[in-house]
Amino acid sequence: MTTPAVKAQPVATVKLLIDGAFVESKTTEWHDVVNPATQQVLAQVPFATDAEIDAAVAAAKSAFKTWKNTPLAARARIMLKLQALVREHMSRIAHTLSAEQGKTLADAEGDIFRGLEVVEHACSIGSLQLGEFAENVAGGVDTYTIRQPIGVCGGITPFNFPAMIPLWMFPMAIVCGNTFVLKPSEQDPLTPMLLAELAQQAGIPPGVLNIIHGGKRSVDAICSHPDIVAVSFVGSTSVGTHVYNLASQHGKRVQCMMGAKNHAVVMPDARKEQSLNALVGSTFGAAGQRCMATSVTVLVGDAQKWIPDIVAKAKTLRVNAGQEKGTDIGPLISKNAKNRVLGLVEDGINEGAKLELDGRAVKVSGYEKGNFIGPTIFSGVTPAMKIYTTEIFGPVMVIIGVNTLNEAIDLINSNPFGNGTGIFTQSGAVARKFQHEIDVGQVGINVPIPVPVPFFSFTGSRGSKLGDLGPYGKQVVQFYTQTKTITSRWFDDGGVSGGVNTTISLK
């Protein structure tokens, strides 16, 4: 969490979005939004008051009365307009995202694009929200299902994807006929607010999308508010577990996508250059601040000889401010995040892992105050070490050597997390065995970050997910709608009654 700040002018203030209006908060608690490369205060974000949170939910509840009856085609057209506006303003959003989060401009555009894909999928709501129909299930009796919106939904999003995750949430909830209250990360709220402006321009009516800001108190309010019926969360395991438990106790639908420890298995027959590029890119991209980052490299057999090649490839990456050309790795989100990663690197050294590449002393000219850590690589890591058991969430690769594919599978299946994994091999038999036996929600075969496109659903599992439905794809339509089943029979005028039926059967 950011350090509380005293509201000061002329620093810009982040607004709340309540009932279609961007309003100044009346709170007394403000936090700085800081550029992680320069420590410049970009804006101050309010921690919304209880009254403001209640007002946002009340606006969403009131808007639901009419929005739920908006025709599917009208909802789809708004999403068509939204995706066009996001494309039009991609560069502006990316520069804002890079400034407040630290990502490179290319990665910022990737962040936006992966969210944009979900908006594009939302445009297909006419087919996604179809029910089912069966004629003559009994004599003259038809049965069919319809999918109806459920009400006011809440979303809590993390700092590492300030465009993608909000775009995973509110477009699908809204296009299904619900209204939404979003609480973005207080560390980088400017990007979600830009998306909200575009949503307003696209034609989303007042009250259908509302945004509040804050910390734990705002999170708890969303999880416990009696007028919110469903909560979607993406973030850390500790907060996600709290969200799931609190919201479930208050009778809400909940989906929580949480922490990870993603393994990439490298077989000796893998295509070397392509595999090295994939491993290094997926480990160190976004400074390792991805829940789908490849944080553990498992080298099988002779692939253990690749360690010098991995180190050499990592050394080619350029650390710099995200908006500088040619940057591969930007800063971590905050000083606290940097200090946490540095502490875990010290733990790895103290526990006996071999530090193959040390990125702690990296200096970036002109950005000496930035939260930078260069690519860092450990080998000789064991499953008992803290750098293996902890999600580091920084540009740190841990390497474990095993002798066989079975050992690699057992290692991954023994880890409590199940977000994503991958294997690099040229053997179809090996790949098939891996995908069949691995107990992880998302599997890549020669693909380093196997996040599925929105035609499918994000399917993290085990300790990486609470709730049985994913945040986009077909599953999220189920999450944001209620299935109603209708069984009907119609009689012709003058028809003969079949008499009284005291059984439960239909004849």
Side-chain angles (χ1 to χ4, degrees):
M1 184 176 291
T2 53
T3 303
V6 176
K7 183 181 173 184
Q9 297 294 343
V11 176
T13 55
V14 183
K15 305 300 187 287
L16 307 171
L17 175 57
I18 300 176
D19 202 17
F22 292 95
V23 297
E24 186 85 11
S25 175
K26 293 182 173 143
T27 186
T28 58
E29 184 178 1
W30 296 79
H31 288 232
D32 290 340
V33 180
V34 178
N35 182 319
T38 65
Q39 307 308 311
Q40 174 192 0
V41 176
L42 302 174
Q44 291 191 316
V45 60
F47 275 34
T49 66
D50 292 343
E52 289 165 343
I53 295 171
D54 287 341
V57 177
K61 183 179 180 181
S62 177
F64 179 66
K65 297 173 184 177
T66 53
W67 179 247
K68 67 180 179 180
N69 295 319
T70 302
L72 282 171
R75 294 185 230 152
R77 281 192 289 271
I78 289 175
M79 292 301 142
L80 283 166
K81 180 65 173 176
L82 177 58
Q83 66 86 25
L85 287 168
V86 172
R87 285 184 181 278
E88 179 184 346
H89 295 273
M90 177 81 75
S91 177
R92 180 167 70 103
I93 302 169
H95 277 82
T96 298
L97 195 160
S98 178
E100 67 174 344
Q101 204 278 340
K103 289 187 180 184
T104 67
L105 286 173
D107 196 27
E109 289 193 357
D111 184 331
I112 300 162
F113 182 76
R114 292 311 300 263
L116 181 61
E117 290 180 317
V118 176
V119 182
E120 292 172 340
H121 196 230
C123 299
S124 303
I125 191 61
S127 57
L128 295 174
Q129 206 165 332
L130 289 177
E132 299 174 313
F133 187 95
E135 185 181 39
N136 264 356
V137 295
V141 177
D142 304 325
T143 298
Y144 54 97
T145 62
I146 57 177
R147 289 198 167 276
Q148 296 181 317
I150 55 177
V152 180
C153 302
I156 302 160
T157 60
F159 75 84
N160 57 330
F161 285 96
M164 183 182 78
I165 304 300
L167 290 175
W168 279 12
M169 290 186 186
F170 76 78
M172 289 305 303
I174 287 170
V175 83
C176 286
N178 304 290
T179 55
F180 205 81
V181 178
L182 175 68
K183 200 228 68 89
S185 171
E186 67 277 13
Q187 297 189 81
D188 45 15
L190 300 176
T191 300
M193 295 308 292
L194 278 180
L195 297 174
E197 289 179 18
L198 298 180
Q200 297 282 83
Q201 293 178 37
I204 290 179
V208 173
L209 173 63
N210 305 272
I211 299 181
I212 61 170
H213 304 288
K216 183 178 182 298
R217 183 168 53 81
S218 296
V219 169
D220 289 354
I222 287 176
C223 294
S224 60
H225 200 289
D227 291 328
I228 292 179
V229 299
V231 176
S232 183
F233 170 88
V234 176
S236 70
T237 297
S238 58
V239 178
T241 301
H242 170 75
V243 166
Y244 186 82
N245 290 336
L246 182 60
S248 296
Q249 289 166 10
H250 285 82
K252 306 183 190 314
R253 295 186 181 189
V254 197
Q255 55 173 210
C256 291
M257 313 308 297
M258 306 185 297
K261 198 71 176 180
N262 305 313
H263 300 67
V265 176
V266 183
M267 301 301 294
D269 69 338
R271 294 289 296 270
K272 192 169 189 178
E273 186 63 19
Q274 290 90 336
S275 300
L276 290 173
N277 288 334
L279 289 169
V280 170
S282 62
T283 300
F284 301 117
Q289 298 174 120
R290 295 174 178 148
C291 66
M292 288 293 289
T294 301
S295 52
V296 183
T297 296
V298 184
L299 302 179
V300 180
D302 286 345
Q304 294 175 59
K305 299 175 183 177
W306 289 22
I307 292 176
D309 302 291
I310 295 172
V311 172
K313 182 68 71 172
K315 285 181 176 179
T316 67
L317 299 180
R318 183 185 178 205
V319 181
N320 206 337
Q323 298 196 21
E324 295 288 347
K325 290 184 178 179
T327 301
D328 298 301
I329 303 175
L332 277 78
I333 185 68
S334 67
K335 290 291 185 185
N336 287 340
K338 178 181 178 179
N339 290 335
R340 178 181 176 276
V341 174
L342 292 175
L344 286 165
V345 173
E346 285 293 333
D347 289 335
I349 295 170
N350 294 335
E351 289 179 314
K354 182 180 179 182
L355 188 59
E356 300 277 358
L357 181 61
D358 188 352
R360 292 175 294 174
V362 66
K363 301 294 182 185
V364 178
S365 178
Y367 297 95
E368 287 78 12
K369 295 181 180 180
N371 310 322
F372 298 102
I373 299 178
T376 300
I377 299 175
F378 281 104
S379 67
V381 177
T382 69
M385 292 180 179
K386 190 173 182 180
I387 54 173
Y388 176 77
T389 59
T390 304
E391 184 178 22
I392 298 175
F393 228 59
V396 181
M397 175 189 289
V398 301
I399 298 176
I400 295 181
V402 298
N403 295 320
T404 67
L405 175 62
N406 284 334
E407 289 181 53
I409 291 173
D410 289 343
L411 172 72
I412 297 170
N413 287 347
S414 297
N415 191 278
F417 293 109
N419 216 30
T421 188
I423 188 167
F424 294 87
T425 180
Q426 295 187 75
S427 169
V430 166
R432 190 176 189 281
K433 174 183 172 68
F434 183 79
Q435 73 179 37
H436 178 69
E437 296 185 11
I438 208 71
D439 185 16
V440 173
Q442 287 150 147
V443 179
I445 298 173
N446 298 315
V447 174
I449 303 177
V451 178
V453 295
F455 313 120
F456 298 86
S457 296
F458 192 95
T459 51
S461 62
R462 294 193 284 138
S464 296
K465 178 181 179 182
L466 290 171
D468 61 346
L469 296 172
Y472 60 73
K474 295 179 181 178
Q475 290 184 9
V476 83
V477 176
Q478 299 176 50
F479 182 77
Y480 285 128
T481 59
Q482 176 67 48
T483 301
K484 183 179 290 184
T485 305
I486 298 98
T487 302
S488 68
R489 169 182 277 164
W490 297 95
F491 299 100
D492 293 332
D493 291 342
V496 178
S497 171
V500 176
N501 180 4
T502 60
T503 73
I504 62 170
S505 64
L506 292 171
K507 298 180 181 179

